[in-house]
C-alpha cells in the first residue's frame, strides 16, 4: 500500500442552500409530514454540500474517481470496494429552511489494516456544517476500502438463518421492508451513484452481495426517525452509528431503541434472523 500522508489535513468546502423542495422530497421519502417549525429533521445534513463530480468523472463503482493530484480530496486507495462504515455526529443547532449551507471537510486520518477479508484502509473525514454562518452539525465519518470479493466467496450477507429477532429487550421497535423505490429516492436525495444500491447485476456479480444494499446512512436516518417518533424533532444532542453487516433490499429490517442504564439511548437495526445490521447510540 502507498503512503497517503500528504492527504491527511487536506480539506474542501462546499456550499448549498436548504431548499424547501428538497426537504419536502426527503420527508416524502420517509413517509412523514413536514416539520411545523420549518427546520430540517436530524439526518437531513447528509443531503447537503454533496460532491458533484460529472458523470464522466465516475469510476466503475459509481463513486467519483480519485487520483494523486492536488485536486483529489480523498486518497487514491486502489482497493475496489468502498463503504461508509460509521459516523459520530454532534447536533449543535437546527438547520432552518432557506439557510445558506457551508460544509467544510477535512481528511483526519488514514490507516491501513489487514483483516479476515483481506486488506482494509480506513479513512476518517471530519465535517462541519454551518447554516447562515453558525455551526450546526459536527461529524466524523469513517470510510472503509476493501479488497475485491473472491470469486469463490459466498454472497453476503448469508441467507436468513433459523434464528429470529427478539423484540422483547427493546422498548420501541419498528419493522420496515426497504424497497427499490426507497433506495432509489435516497440515492437521488444524496446524489449517491454507488451501484450497489440500484444495479443488482453489479452488486451481486462484481461486489458479491446477495441483493441491493441499503445505504448505511439511510439505515442511520431510519434510526434517527425512530428516535424522532419518541422524542420529537431535533431532540438529540449526539448520535453515533457503526455498520456491522449489510442490510438487503426487500428483507425485513427491525429498528429498535431503548434507554441504557446510564440514561443514554441505545439503538440498533436487525435482520429477520436477529443478525445485527447496525449499532447506534444517542444522547438527548
Amino acid at each position: 500500500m502507498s503512503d497517503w500522508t500528504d492527504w491527511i489535513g487536506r480539506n474542501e468546502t462546499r456550499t448549498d442552500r436548504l431548499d424547501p423542495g428538497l426537504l419536502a422530497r426527503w420527508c416524502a421519502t420517509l413517509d412523514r409530514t413536514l416539520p411545523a417549525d420549518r427546520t430540517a429533521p436530524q439526518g437531513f445534513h447528509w443531503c447537503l454540500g454533496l460532491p458533484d463530480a460529472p458523470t464522466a468523472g465516475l469510476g466503475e463503482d459509481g463513486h467519483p474517481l480519485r487520483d494523486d493530484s492536488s485536486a483529489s480530496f480523498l486518497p487514491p486507495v486502489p482497493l475496489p470496494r468502498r463503504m461508509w462504515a460509521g459516523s459520530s455526529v454532534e447536533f449543535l443547532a437546527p438547520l432552518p429552511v432557506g439557510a445558506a449551507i457551508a460544509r467544510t471537510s477535512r481528511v483526519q486520518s488514514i490507516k491501513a489494516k489487514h483483516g479476515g477479508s483481506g486488506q482494509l484502509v480506513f479513512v476518517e473525514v471530519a465535517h462541519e456544517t454551518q447554516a447562515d454562518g453558525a455551526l450546526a452539525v459536527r461529524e466524523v465519518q469513517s470510510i472503509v476500502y476493501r479488497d475485491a470479493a473472491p470469486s469463490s466467496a459466498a454472497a453476503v450477507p448469508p441467507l436468513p438463518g433459523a434464528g429470529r429477532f427478539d423484540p422483547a429487550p427493546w422498548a420501541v421497535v419498528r419493522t420496515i421492508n426497504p424497497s427499490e423505490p426507497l433506495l432509489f429516492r435516497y440515492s437521488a436525495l444524496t446524489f449517491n451513484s454507488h451501484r450497489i444500491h440500484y444495479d443488482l447485476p453489479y452488486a451481486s456479480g462484481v461486489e458479491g452481495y446477495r441483493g441491493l444494499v441499503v445505504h448505511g446512512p439511510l439505515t442511520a436516518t431510519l434510526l434517527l426517525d425512530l428516535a424522532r417518533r419518541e422524542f420529537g424533532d431535533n431532540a438529540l444532542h449526539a448520535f453515533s452509528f457503526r455498520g456491522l453487516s449489510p442490510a438487503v433490499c426487500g428483507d425485513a429490517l427491525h429498528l429498535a431503541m431503548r434507554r441504557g442504564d446510564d440514561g443514554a439511548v441505545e439503538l440498533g437495526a436487525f435482520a429477520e434472523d436477529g443478525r445485527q445490521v447496525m449499532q447506534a447510540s444517542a444522547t438527548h
Side-chain angles (χ1 to χ4, degrees), residues 254-274:
H254 302 285
L255 309 166
M257 183 174 66
R258 63 189 174 195
R259 291 182 184 271
D261 294 336
D262 58 357
V265 180
E266 182 183 354
L267 304 103
F270 299 85
E272 182 65 26
D273 61 1

Side-chain angles (χ1 to χ4, degrees), residues 11-71:
N11 63 80
E12 65 174 13
T13 298
R14 296 185 175 274
T15 58
D16 207 334
R17 187 166 293 276
L18 206 163
D19 178 72
L22 176 62
L23 178 57
R25 291 187 290 275
W26 188 90
C27 288
T29 298
L30 296 181
D31 293 316
R32 59 154 295 175
T33 58
L34 282 163
D37 65 356
R38 291 181 59 78
T39 62
Q42 291 172 333
F44 185 80
H45 71 285
W46 288 319
C47 301
L48 299 170
L50 305 173
D52 53 3
T55 302
L58 300 179
E60 181 192 9
D61 63 357
H63 281 302
L65 289 166
R66 306 176 306 278
D67 57 33
D68 58 3
S69 72
S70 60

Side-chain angles (χ1 to χ4, degrees), residues 151-165:
S151 58
S152 59
V156 294
L159 288 168
R164 287 292 178 269
F165 166 70

Side-chain angles (χ1 to χ4, degrees), residues 160 175-183 197 200 210-214 218 246-254 271-272 275:
T175 300
I176 68 166
N177 287 79
S179 65
E180 289 88 349
L182 175 61
L183 269 62
H197 304 306
L200 182 57
R210 178 164 56 80
L212 295 177
V213 178
V214 180
L218 173 55
V248 174
C249 177
D251 285 2
L253 184 64
H254 302 285
E272 182 65 26
R275 171 178 54 87

